[in-house]
Amino acid sequence: MRQQEYAIGIDIGGTNTVFGIVDHRGDISYRGAISTRKHKDVNDYIDELAAALAPAIDQVGGINGIRGIGIGAPNGNYYKGTIEYAPNLPWKGLVPLIQLMNDKFGVPCSLTNDANAAAVGEMMYGVARGMRDFIMITLGTGVGSGIVANGQLIYGHDGFAGELGHTTIIPGGRLHKGTGLRGSLESYASATGVTLTALEFLDRDLKRDSLLRNYAKEEIDSRIVYECAMQGDAIAKEVYEFTGEVLGLALANFVMFSSPEAIILFGGMTKAGDLILKPTREHMEKNLLPIFQNKVKLLFSELREADAAILGASALVWEVKTDKVV
């Protein structure tokens, strides 16, 4: 009888790295985590990762039971297998991660950025099963994206396609401190953007009552804005209306360049439910040409947030590969 194969999914975050052993159905049989920031030398980091993974690999019968390793990481280049100038990781410049991982584990390894990994995971395990054309938008501290067209994730000629969060939606608009760009989608539709919008709305009309005024400015975050909106606070609800307007406009642009079957929203911001979904859908449809209207589904991800990073990374192992250009 042939031994069952498993994938290892690894998500490298700015603070922690999470990993798991995943079967073809998306069942996670082992979960673990190590600190990403502990080691300034990436070789020491990989040594600790290998030690942390050893019990998991033994649990499934050794390395021969591992089909491969998939990794999601900031600025991960699918074609070259490198992490390139990631601002939130301790290893600077070009990091030849896949070469180092191949040398350490001796199994096929694949790398992409974290948002692309989420899209692949949704296509294999989530609400996008069976879809050949969709866009995944991750709404968290930032705004990430993965674009699938004709059943293939779009990487572009250099491996970095799909930075929809940094597209300009409001020319000359809010400054994004991380990039220096003005008016990008991430500046408005992220959790950080919601917080900034709330502070701007409070300052715009100082005499207007709001539950948000019960908090010091430095205490206000997207969670507090949500809680106040759920209690009926007018300003907090207007924050979501404005955020949905900006996001809907952006999604209309995205629809008209790739005509997806669905746009799938994932991340902490989706916990706001209809507060964000209704204005987003309204303004998306309002800004579409008639040939695109009422065709594109706007869905929330079905993946559990705690598992999505591992599942997305592991899905790279099962994905049919295109030829990589190095």
Side-chain angles (χ1 to χ4, degrees):
M1 178 185 258
R2 185 179 177 185
Q3 182 180 10
Q4 182 175 353
E5 289 185 317
Y6 295 87
I8 295 175
I10 300 172
D11 180 69
I12 301 175
T15 302
N16 294 308
T17 294
V18 296
F19 56 84
I21 302 287
V22 185
D23 68 17
H24 226 300
R25 296 183 302 276
D27 294 327
I28 302 174
S29 59
Y30 189 102
R31 294 172 176 82
I34 64 170
S35 170
T36 304
R37 308 204 66 81
K38 182 178 176 182
H39 301 293
K40 299 299 182 186
D41 186 327
V42 69
N43 292 284
D44 295 335
Y45 164 82
I46 291 174
D47 286 344
E48 182 177 351
L49 182 61
L53 277 166
I57 294 172
D58 289 343
Q59 182 176 295
V60 296
I63 198 67
N64 290 334
I66 302 298
R67 168 81 170 267
I69 298 174
I71 306 164
N75 292 24
N77 189 314
Y78 173 80
Y79 291 132
K80 296 181 179 179
T82 52
I83 295 176
E84 304 189 10
Y85 307 99
N88 60 336
L89 296 181
W91 325 300
K92 303 307 177 187
L94 290 169
V95 180
L97 188 73
I98 291 305
Q99 178 185 328
L100 296 173
M101 291 289 290
N102 282 336
D103 291 345
K104 189 70 177 179
F105 290 93
V107 297
C109 300
S110 296
L111 170 72
T112 191
N113 72 43
D114 35 10
N116 281 342
V120 176
E122 200 69 48
M123 184 164 51
M124 176 155 287
Y125 305 121
V127 73
R129 286 188 304 273
M131 291 187 190
R132 292 179 53 79
D133 296 272
F134 70 93
I135 298 174
M136 181 89 171
I137 304 287
T138 61
L139 301 172
T141 306
V143 175
S145 58
I147 305 165
V148 173
N150 301 326
Q152 296 288 320
L153 193 64
I154 302 301
Y155 287 104
H157 81 282
D158 59 357
F160 290 114
E163 288 290 353
L164 300 180
H166 295 300
T167 55
T168 300
I169 302 303
I170 300 177
R174 182 181 292 162
L175 175 67
H176 187 290
K177 293 181 180 178
T179 63
L181 300 175
R182 286 195 172 273
S184 65
L185 178 61
E186 184 168 288
S187 296
Y188 296 94
S190 62
T192 306
V194 164
T195 302
L196 292 172
T197 299
L199 294 173
E200 288 175 9
F201 282 18
L202 289 170
D203 286 342
R204 189 175 65 186
D205 190 350
L206 294 173
K207 295 181 179 179
R208 194 173 174 198
D209 287 338
S210 172
L211 293 173
L212 292 167
R213 298 196 193 280
N214 295 331
Y215 301 89
K217 286 187 176 181
E218 59 271 16
E219 291 180 301
I220 293 175
D221 59 16
S222 61
R223 179 185 59 82
I224 286 172
V225 176
Y226 166 73
E227 290 174 354
C228 290
M230 291 301 290
Q231 294 176 64
D233 184 78
I235 288 181
K237 288 166 72 175
E238 287 171 16
V239 169
Y240 279 106
E241 286 287 337
F242 175 75
T243 303
E245 179 179 355
V246 175
L247 180 58
L249 171 61
L251 297 187
N253 289 336
F254 304 159
V255 165
M256 289 188 286
F257 81 70
S258 70
S259 192
E261 177 181 345
I263 293 177
I264 299 164
L265 304 179
F266 171 82
M269 283 280 291
T270 63
K271 291 184 173 69
D274 281 346
L275 281 172
I276 189 71
L277 190 64
K278 282 185 176 180
T280 299
R281 189 190 307 279
E282 175 190 346
H283 289 281
M284 182 182 80
E285 295 293 347
K286 184 185 294 184
N287 287 284
L288 285 172
L289 290 172
I291 57 170
F292 295 106
Q293 288 175 348
N294 303 310
K295 285 183 177 179
V296 181
K297 291 175 280 194
L298 197 54
L299 306 170
F300 287 151
S301 169
E302 285 185 351
L303 300 182
R304 288 183 62 239
E305 192 167 356
D307 293 340
I310 292 172
L311 289 174
S314 73
L316 294 171
V317 174
W318 312 116
E319 185 190 21
V320 176
K321 299 292 186 297
T322 56
D323 290 336
K324 297 183 183 181
V325 179
V326 179

